[in-house]
Amino acid sequence: MFNLSRYFSTVSFILIVMAAGVLGPLYRVLSIQQMTELAEHRNVAMAQVFESFLGSPLASLMSASLGRDAAFLKNSVESEQLRGSVAALMRNTSVVKVKIYSRIGVTVFSSDSAQLGEDKLKNPGFRSAMSGKVLSELTHRNTINTFEGERSDIDVLSSYVPIVNKDGSIEGVFELYQDVSPFVSQLERSLWWVTACVFAVFMALYLLQFLVVRRAQGILEEQEGRIKAARDTLEIQVDARTEELRRANTQLKAEISERRQAESKLNYLAYHDPLTGLANRRCFIERLEESLRESGRHAQQLAVLFIDLDQFKQVNDSLGHGVGDELLVAVAARLSEHVRLIDMLARLGGDEFICLMEAVRSEDEVAVLAREIIAAFELPFGLGEHELFLSASIGISLFPGDAQGMVDLMRNADTAMYRAKAIGRGQYHFYTPEMTRDAKERIRMETLLRRALDNGELSVHLQPQVDTRSERLVGAEALLRWNSPELGQVMPSRFIPLAEESGIIIPLGNWVLRETCRQVMQWRRSGFDLPQVSVNLSVKQLERPEFIETLGNILDETGMDAHCLKLELTESVVMGVGDAHGLLQRLRDFGISLALDDFGTGYSSLSYLKMLPVQQLKIDQSFVTGIGRNSDDEAIIRTVMELATSLNFEVVAEGVETVEQAEFLAKLGCQQLQGYLHGKAVAPDEFRARWALPL
Ligand code: C2E
Ligand code: MG
Ligand code: MG
């Protein structure tokens, strides 16, 4: 830190010395000047005294000396007279020597006679006096000749004073030597005192200020200490804060990059299917909208192809979702690799894929693409130990022909895909406007069907099943009927597939089951005992985890004897259910009989069938219709009969309309017949009226 005391001490000391050094001499100069002035006045006064007292001897000497030499002046009478007068005047005064110069600068009188006759014409004092001005000079003389003899170590003030005549002219010059030694020594003493006092005052001042400064320095040092401590604390705080900020900054950076990553991941996820990595629905929609705008602007066609895998559900159900997912990934990869003409491929969800073809020139071009997609499924998909054969159904809709907007275009492709599926597996179909009409009709029917159950528009009809030989009633099949106020009588072939698709089949099927059991039990209580009743069961019902419980409840509620109940399942239903064997066994555990409906239309493996707890096969009516007309149908019936006999299945033939058909079947050993020959499905009252034995 800047040392204030030291700085102050040094500067003050220098200033004091300088002040003392300047003030002392200044005082001396001023004092000498004053003293000189006083002494000069005294000399002038003395000169006037001399002049008035020495008037005539002086005038005579002046005139006598003109043109004379020094010897004359020493020995002249005038000179002697003057000497005596001057000595008398000088006595008891401080004037120690007097010299008189004539107008021409000759020393005409001097206390020291050796100086007589000296030329002083060029002397500045003389010249000044001759011009009327007094000039004085203070000098220190080691020795000087005075009237009273030689004196040593003396301070004298010599003044040149003009001798003025009465007419104002200057006659000559006096030089008076005044002894000022007492004044000078007095002056020297006071000078010493003054210097000492000044020095002492300055020193006192210095000390006082030094104390103040030192105190100030102390305060400053104290303040500095505090400031330093505060600064240190501040520095520590600043360091800590800096570190904190650095850490926060690092954290912030990490967070920002994490967020960016998350954002880009989110962005990726927002537009991609996480399983297959293909574009997702949103991505496809945005691209399609863009393509539609472009195609509209350039008057181009584009096609949307809706792809649905045909047997994916079975794979998922039988091999698990893991394999299902692997399969979807493999399908996505194969489609991406092998199909050349696709402009964009996306997965909409589940087993639905969609693709876009831009700048379409003709329908044929789209058909080529569709065939290419279908061909991509020709080779099996190898997933670990499994080798799976799969096919896809494709629905196609075109812009601008089939629809103008994105939503309609996609919906039409979806509708066309359903039609393709309806034709058979591995097919493609272009959209037609009738499909929309059908679809609308289906939607209307679906709405009406939902209402039908609550409105009591549904009823259960019963169709007799008779023993082939005795023709006695052995059972009946419960068949659902819908009498709609809007649509009239609607046959199950129209509304059952719709109910299955929409899921309405579940409440509907359960209602049929309950209603049938209730009816049979009511008959039994009133004396009409139907030996057995068959109820059709949809795969959707069977798939519900709570189905067994519901079934148990229905049996409990209605009091139905499970042994009198038969459930009909189609071949494909049984094949499509995951754990078919386990499920059917649980039904069997109730005591319920099981029949395979529409037998022969599916492609069931016989060895698999044998393992199922099924008791009855129902030969499909399409084969029965062929009896007597189609040898192939007859051959199939024979084979089924042989198989059933050897595997110990009971056989029912459905759709038996003629005696010929009945006889053919009887010959082959078919146990039961069902068909218009013995009766159509009719309302319960009518059924009872026809089949109840008269009491
Ligand atoms: P299905 O189970 O094979 O029923 C036999 C069908 O053949 C019935 O048609 C019946 O009326 C008809 N049929 C019977 N004998 C003859 C005949 O001699 N000649 C002709 N041409 N037809 C005959 P329906 O009632 O129209 O039922 C059609 C299908 O609807 C049934 O086929 C069944 O799969 C389904 N279904 C009917 N009711 C229900 C139900 O309550 N639940 C379920 N899940 N499906 C039902
Ligand atoms: Mg049936
Ligand atoms: Mg059938």
Side-chain angles (χ1 to χ4, degrees):
M1 186 203 171
F2 170 69
N3 193 326
L4 189 62
S5 321
R6 194 185 304 153
Y7 179 77
F8 169 78
S9 301
T10 315
V11 173
S12 299
F13 185 76
I14 292 168
L15 285 175
I16 287 168
V17 169
M18 274 170 64
V22 170
L23 281 177
L26 185 67
Y27 174 77
R28 190 172 186 276
V29 167
L30 290 174
S31 301
I32 284 175
Q33 203 177 355
Q34 206 177 6
M35 187 203 72
T36 307
E37 268 173 35
L38 280 170
E40 191 183 73
H41 278 122
R42 239 187 343 250
N43 275 351
V44 171
M46 278 302 287
Q48 278 169 355
V49 171
F50 282 169
E51 199 181 337
S52 50
F53 275 93
L54 305 174
S56 55
L58 184 61
S60 342
L61 180 66
M62 289 289 194
S63 55
S65 67
L66 288 170
R68 305 290 177 93
D69 62 0
F72 164 76
L73 289 170
K74 279 175 195 167
N75 302 317
S76 73
V77 182
E78 290 89 351
S79 189
E80 266 319 300
Q81 276 179 347
L82 201 61
R83 190 177 303 274
S85 304
V86 168
L89 280 173
M90 275 173 34
R91 202 164 294 134
N92 297 325
T93 69
S94 55
V95 178
V96 291
K97 187 177 175 180
V98 175
K99 283 171 87 176
I100 300 170
Y101 307 109
S102 68
R103 238 187 358 244
I104 55 168
V106 177
T107 311
V108 291
F109 178 81
S110 174
S111 349
D112 181 359
S113 55
Q115 292 173 332
L116 288 172
E118 278 178 0
D119 184 8
K120 284 281 182 169
L121 193 62
K122 287 184 181 147
N123 184 290
F126 171 78
R127 293 171 80 95
S128 171
M130 280 306 290
S131 64
K133 263 173 124 189
V134 178
L135 188 78
S136 301
E137 190 188 11
L138 181 68
T139 51
H140 181 84
R141 301 284 177 94
N142 292 330
T143 55
I144 186 169
N145 273 323
T146 67
F147 279 101
E148 289 148 354
E150 198 179 72
R151 288 184 60 178
S152 60
D153 211 12
I154 183 171
D155 291 297
V156 289
L157 183 86
S158 61
S159 303
Y160 291 85
V161 184
I163 304 167
V164 185
N165 286 329
K166 283 191 182 93
D167 59 358
S169 61
I170 295 169
E171 179 70 32
V173 173
F174 274 120
E175 188 183 3
L176 280 88
Y177 290 79
Q178 193 177 155
D179 178 10
V180 290
S181 298
F183 297 108
V184 170
S185 58
Q186 176 71 31
L187 187 103
E188 291 297 339
R189 267 198 307 278
S190 47
L191 179 66
W192 191 92
W193 276 109
V194 165
T195 309
C197 283
V198 164
F199 196 75
V201 167
F202 275 130
M203 277 317 282
L205 255 169
Y206 164 78
L207 273 174
L208 202 68
Q209 286 183 359
F210 181 76
L211 288 174
V212 171
V213 167
R214 208 175 58 177
R215 176 82 191 103
Q217 167 100 18
I219 292 170
L220 281 176
E221 277 173 4
E222 208 175 290
Q223 296 281 15
E224 193 202 6
R226 275 203 216 121
I227 289 170
K228 194 171 175 301
R231 201 181 55 211
D232 288 351
T233 317
L234 199 68
E235 263 171 23
I236 291 169
Q237 284 175 346
V238 166
D239 285 352
R241 186 81 188 115
T242 309
E243 177 61 16
E244 212 174 278
L245 283 173
R246 197 188 58 72
R247 241 182 273 133
N249 193 26
T250 319
Q251 203 179 330
L252 194 70
K253 274 186 192 158
E255 272 172 23
I256 288 171
S257 85
E258 222 169 78
R259 211 158 116 185
R260 282 209 186 113
Q261 275 177 0
E263 268 170 16
S264 65
K265 197 173 170 190
L266 273 179
N267 202 34
Y268 180 83
L269 286 177
Y271 285 94
H272 290 85
D273 167 40
L275 179 67
T276 58
L278 290 180
N280 64 8
R281 178 185 289 271
R282 181 179 171 184
C283 188
F284 182 83
I285 286 173
E286 285 183 14
R287 168 72 187 271
L288 179 57
E289 280 177 334
E290 176 63 32
S291 296
L292 283 173
R293 276 195 293 275
E294 281 295 303
S295 302
R297 210 173 295 141
H298 299 109
Q300 283 180 333
Q301 270 195 307
L302 68 78
V304 168
L305 292 89
F306 204 106
I307 307 165
D308 190 279
L309 307 185
D310 291 324
Q311 306 90 339
F312 182 71
K313 196 180 162 341
Q314 283 95 307
V315 174
N316 235 359
D317 289 345
S318 52
L319 301 174
H321 289 266
V323 177
D325 283 353
E326 277 181 54
L327 183 59
L328 288 173
V329 173
V331 167
R334 189 165 300 175
L335 285 176
S336 307
E337 278 169 31
H338 294 281
V339 186
R340 291 169 296 121
L341 298 165
I342 295 178
D343 284 312
M344 186 187 197
L345 176 67
R347 180 175 167 231
L348 292 182
D351 60 347
E352 291 172 351
F353 294 84
I354 195 160
C355 70
L356 174 68
M357 189 183 188
E358 289 166 332
V360 171
R361 280 174 299 226
S362 67
E363 273 194 19
D364 290 348
E365 207 177 40
V366 186
V368 168
L369 172 60
R371 280 196 289 274
E372 221 174 295
I373 294 171
I374 288 165
F377 287 85
E378 273 166 9
L379 290 173
F381 292 87
L383 301 175
E385 65 205 66
H386 307 285
E387 201 171 61
L388 300 168
F389 282 91
L390 209 64
S391 60
S393 300
I394 303 168
I396 306 162
S397 85
L398 299 165
F399 167 86
D402 296 335
Q404 305 285 318
M406 176 272 296
V407 175
D408 291 346
L409 206 58
M410 282 175 73
R411 196 192 44 228
N412 291 348
D414 189 25
T415 309
M417 187 275 294
Y418 274 102
R419 180 59 58 91
K421 255 197 199 313
I423 313 168
R425 293 166 180 176
Q427 302 287 326
Y428 67 90
H429 207 290
F430 280 91
Y431 169 82
T432 57
E434 303 85 69
M435 288 179 192
T436 301
R437 280 200 290 278
D438 290 356
K440 279 186 183 155
E441 179 62 25
R442 272 158 50 138
I443 290 167
R444 179 161 176 252
M445 202 187 263
E446 200 182 303
T447 318
L448 294 173
L449 188 59
R450 281 182 198 279
R451 232 186 41 200
L453 197 59
D454 301 330
N455 285 4
E457 295 166 23
L458 299 171
S459 59
V460 172
H461 282 204
L462 291 139
Q463 184 176 30
Q465 293 171 331
V466 299
D467 180 80
T468 313
R469 288 170 202 269
S470 65
E471 295 198 336
R472 286 175 60 175
L473 183 72
V474 288
E477 181 176 2
L479 293 161
L480 188 57
R481 294 291 176 262
W482 178 18
N483 186 14
S484 161
E486 292 87 356
L487 307 170
Q489 277 290 340
V490 193
M491 292 314 282
S493 51
R494 267 182 82 194
F495 71 84
I496 291 290
L498 189 69
E500 289 203 321
E501 266 171 39
S502 61
I504 306 174
I505 194 69
I506 294 160
L508 211 64
N510 291 340
W511 180 82
V512 173
L513 201 55
R514 185 176 279 110
E515 179 58 21
T516 308
C517 292
R518 190 198 59 75
Q519 182 63 65
V520 171
M521 290 313 288
Q522 192 215 313
W523 276 341
R524 182 169 291 184
R525 282 194 294 273
S526 61
F528 173 50
D529 203 1
L530 183 68
Q532 197 172 44
V533 72
S534 299
V535 178
N536 293 287
L537 196 66
S538 158
V539 66
K540 297 267 162 138
Q541 282 173 279
L542 200 59
E543 274 170 355
R544 301 296 296 185
E546 76 283 356
F547 176 67
I548 300 287
E549 196 189 333
T550 310
L551 180 64
N553 289 342
I554 291 171
L555 295 177
D556 285 351
E557 279 169 33
T558 55
M560 179 76 184
D561 178 4
H563 292 95
C564 297
L565 181 63
K566 184 157 66 180
L567 292 176
E568 291 187 10
L569 302 125
T570 56
E571 250 185 290
S572 55
V573 165
V574 174
M575 299 302 287
V577 174
D579 178 23
H581 189 275
L583 274 171
L584 298 187
Q585 189 54 55
R586 290 178 73 181
L587 297 178
R588 276 302 290 149
D589 292 344
F590 275 107
I592 296 169
S593 306
L594 299 172
L596 275 186
D597 207 350
D598 305 340
F599 191 74
T601 53
Y603 305 91
S604 313
S605 136
L606 294 176
S607 53
Y608 179 68
L609 278 184
K610 189 178 175 296
M611 285 156 57
L612 291 175
V614 171
Q615 292 75 53
Q616 203 175 51
L617 302 180
K618 286 189 84 172
I619 297 178
D620 192 66
Q621 81 180 57
S622 58
F623 304 114
V624 176
T625 314
I627 293 172
R629 284 189 267 177
N630 187 326
S631 54
D632 284 351
D633 289 341
E634 289 179 356
I636 289 170
I637 294 173
R638 266 192 212 100
T639 315
V640 170
M641 285 311 302
E642 276 168 25
L643 173 89
T645 314
S646 64
L647 294 179
N648 219 8
F649 285 116
E650 192 183 29
V651 180
V652 187
E654 60 180 352
V656 182
E657 294 181 356
T658 63
V659 178
E660 187 197 353
Q661 289 165 351
E663 282 173 353
F664 179 86
L665 291 159
K667 257 190 231 155
L668 290 173
C670 172
Q671 289 94 338
Q672 291 175 17
L673 303 176
Q674 179 184 343
Y676 294 169
L677 181 64
H678 296 102
K680 290 187 172 182
V682 289
D685 288 349
E686 197 184 333
F687 186 87
R688 180 177 183 167
R690 162 71 180 82
W691 294 100
L693 295 171
L695 291 171

